[in-house]
Amino acid sequence: MKQVNFILAVESYLVRKGMAVVLQRIPGASVVKEFGSVDLLTRYLEHHGMDFLIISDTLFANATDLYMNNPALLERTILLNRDPSAEDRGKKTRGCISLSEEKEEIISKINELLNPYFRDYRANTHGSLTDREKTIVRLLSMGLTNRQIADRLFLSTHTVTTHRKNIIHKLGIKSVSGLTVYAIVNNIITIDEVTSKHER
């Protein structure tokens, strides 16, 4: 599974950096570019792509031309509101998050907004893993090595390696970070279980 690439368009440097830190807590999320103005954002999008745009309500209000020229961009836009009572502005977009929310609430809401993005991927792959393979994906997402997984499941490391090869073949995902995103999106592991692993 590919990385989920975000662009941040927020006029405040501190808010941009804060959102970048929050997005780092989401496995597979990557901030590819940050902008403080609509002009720079528009010029960049003329030549580059992205998966999602997180834009402040102020810049969104000034980006009429950008969205008129590219209406499909609305489906890839997450509105960042300073005022939680202004959520109705986000009805045109994929959704909105509020600056007044706690970090964990923002992470949860972004994951919720990303779920439909992965729906087709889940439909094509989730049912193809065996229960044992799902268990191994879960343990890999928790940071266990092949040896630790083998010990926990009373298997040989060779058997765990074979399961991993089968998982790679079925999903086309080679990296542990990619498997972690897959596991979260497919409810094999929760974001809290993954983030608590990184906080130890």
Side-chain angles (χ1 to χ4, degrees):
M1 179 190 293
K2 67 176 187 158
Q3 290 269 112
V4 181
N5 295 318
F6 285 88
I7 291 177
L8 295 176
V10 182
E11 60 279 16
S12 165
Y13 174 81
L14 289 176
V15 174
R16 274 198 316 271
K17 292 303 173 191
M19 279 304 302
V21 168
V22 169
L23 288 170
Q24 286 176 354
R25 299 273 315 274
I26 300 174
S30 174
V31 176
V32 293
K33 209 72 174 159
E34 299 176 21
F35 298 102
S37 75
V38 173
D39 291 339
L40 293 173
L41 170 65
T42 303
R43 276 187 251 149
Y44 179 84
L45 289 177
E46 287 172 0
H47 305 287
H48 301 89
M50 52 88 207
D51 295 318
F52 291 98
L53 167 65
I54 295 180
I55 187 169
S56 69
D57 49 2
T58 308
L59 292 184
F60 181 75
N62 295 321
T64 311
D65 289 343
L66 173 65
Y67 288 100
M68 283 181 63
N69 294 331
N70 189 0
L73 184 59
L74 282 169
E75 179 55 29
R76 301 281 177 136
T77 297
I78 298 172
L79 192 60
L80 180 61
N81 282 328
R82 292 178 188 278
D83 178 8
S85 65
E87 276 210 24
D88 60 321
R89 286 187 204 156
K91 287 183 180 168
K92 300 178 206 167
T93 63
R94 181 172 209 91
C96 62
I97 51 180
S98 171
L99 279 176
S100 64
E101 292 174 315
E102 294 293 323
K103 176 175 54 177
E104 296 307 322
E105 288 177 88
I106 292 172
I107 290 170
S108 175
K109 195 172 269 189
I110 290 172
N111 275 312
E112 200 175 292
L113 293 170
L114 293 180
N115 262 338
Y117 178 71
F118 293 110
R119 189 173 291 130
D120 292 338
Y121 181 80
R122 280 200 308 270
N124 291 333
T125 60
H126 185 50
S128 64
L129 291 183
T130 65
D131 288 341
R132 176 64 81 189
E133 289 166 344
K134 290 176 189 173
T135 300
I136 289 173
V137 167
R138 177 181 171 74
L139 295 173
L140 286 168
S141 299
M142 293 170 66
L144 274 66
T145 64
N146 284 359
R147 164 62 45 222
Q148 291 168 323
I149 292 169
D151 291 346
R152 184 173 285 192
L153 299 178
F154 305 104
L155 301 171
S156 71
T157 51
H158 176 74
T159 301
V160 173
T161 302
T162 300
H163 280 303
R164 285 191 71 173
K165 286 178 183 175
N166 291 339
I167 291 165
I168 290 168
H169 177 73
K170 288 179 178 182
L171 303 179
I173 303 171
K174 295 180 182 177
S175 70
V176 172
S177 62
L179 287 173
T180 302
V181 172
Y182 173 86
I184 292 167
V185 167
N186 289 285
N187 300 316
I188 294 171
I189 194 168
T190 66
I191 188 80
D192 292 334
E193 291 172 301
V194 173
T195 53
S196 66
K197 168 197 83 168
H198 291 296
E199 290 172 352
R200 288 182 199 147

